Amino acid sequence: MWTEKYARALVARLRDIKNIVMWDLGNECNCLERVKTCAEAYVWTATVRNAILSSDNTRPISSGMHSLVCDNDSGVWQLCDQGELCDFVTTHPYPSAAVNGDIEPYNELRMTITPTAQSEYYAGVSKKPCIIQESGTFSPMLGNERMSADFLRVNVLSAFANNLGGFLWWCGIEHFIATETCCGFDPEKSEEFYRIYKEFGKNIAESYDVKCDNPYIGITELDSDSGKIFCAINYSEKQQKFDVENKDDFKILYGALGDVPPCDGVILQKK
């Protein structure tokens, strides 16, 4: 009951804001709401959708869900149900381990066709337009800016060419500032790395003095009172090469140049 009341009140309060173009059921609610049957999932979706419409029936409603299925044996959140109840279905495709758990550079062919292919599949099964509602490269920690730009450009153009309803970029945050394991990197297994990162992790600088063409090495640049700090992360499951020019300009705070172990890194300080 409180979900319905909350949705009606929220929409009623915000409906006069002209730059709101669409309402959403909520971000990935199928990952949060514990339902046991397709009927329960359908009723929940219909309840929130009807609550929105009771306060504003002038704007479309998007599903906001990902990892939907098309048969009862695979799960309870059905693409056809979302298509019946919503005006748009949505996908949240990301690179790296987003396809069968494999990890590969996100400017490779499979990574760059996944968002469009998945969205076309969602639209076909649901019989409703699909929006790439959430996609990105998780900030510099999974690769350099050039590769992020490649990933964004090809997917925006691909979405446009295939008549998808929209593309929203999600840049995220520096996930290593959080305490949980992320993308295979476990702070508890690299305690010293994490301690140094936290110590200097005040803000992200705008430029990069350390360049790396290895797509498996992500570099984050931090500002500190004692100078610039560069954190190079090997996010893959294999050993990767990492080196810098002008080695004498840097002091190594953690790790070593050359072969970087999987799910580990190197921290450099500019002298």
Side-chain angles (χ1 to χ4, degrees), residues 2-187:
W2 71 266
T3 301
E4 183 179 3
K5 290 183 175 181
Y6 178 84
R8 282 194 281 108
L10 178 69
V11 174
R13 182 170 182 174
L14 302 177
R15 63 190 175 194
D16 293 330
I17 300 176
K18 294 182 179 180
N19 55 350
I20 293 177
V21 298
M22 183 183 297
W23 300 109
D24 194 90
L25 298 180
N27 183 51
E28 301 179 359
C29 288
N30 58 312
C31 301
L32 305 175
E33 184 71 12
R34 295 183 178 180
V35 299
K36 297 179 180 179
T37 67
C38 295
E40 290 180 9
Y42 185 97
V43 169
W44 184 93
T45 303
T47 299
V48 177
R49 174 242 193 192
N50 291 337
I52 294 172
L53 289 175
S54 69
S55 292
D56 180 12
N57 61 3
T58 65
R59 294 180 174 95
I61 297 174
S62 62
S63 168
M65 301 185 188
H66 79 140
S67 299
L68 299 174
V69 297
C70 61
D71 62 85
N72 294 341
D73 294 332
S74 300
V76 300
W77 295 94
Q78 301 285 311
L79 265 169
C80 56
D81 291 342
Q82 296 300 309
E84 177 184 341
L85 296 169
C86 299
D87 300 297
F88 288 85
V89 292
T90 57
T91 55
H92 297 179
Y94 286 94
S96 189
V99 181
N100 297 327
D102 292 340
I103 297 176
E104 63 181 52
Y106 50 62
N107 62 354
E108 295 293 332
L109 178 62
R110 186 170 63 169
M111 294 296 100
T112 55
I113 67 173
T114 295
T116 297
Q118 185 184 50
S119 299
E120 291 276 36
Y121 170 72
Y122 271 43
V125 174
S126 69
K127 296 180 173 57
K128 286 293 177 66
C130 183
I131 296 175
I132 301 177
Q133 190 186 45
E134 208 183 282
S135 188
T137 51
F138 298 115
S139 79
M141 70 184 210
L142 290 187
N144 56 42
E145 290 182 327
R146 174 181 56 81
M147 292 186 63
S148 292
D150 289 344
F151 182 86
L152 172 60
R153 180 179 182 276
V154 72
N155 280 295
V156 167
L157 294 176
S158 180
F160 177 77
N162 287 277
N163 298 313
L164 297 179
F167 187 105
L168 281 72
W169 183 254
W170 189 82
C171 297
I173 59 171
E174 288 306 308
H175 289 75
F176 294 131
I177 296 176
T179 57
E180 63 269 15
T181 300
C182 179
C183 299
F185 184 88
D186 189 348

Side-chain angles (χ1 to χ4, degrees), residues 233-244:
I233 317 294
N234 172 12
Y235 72 89
S236 76
E237 297 177 346
K238 298 180 181 180
Q239 185 171 273
Q240 298 292 334
K241 291 285 187 182
F242 172 67
D243 210 344
V244 296

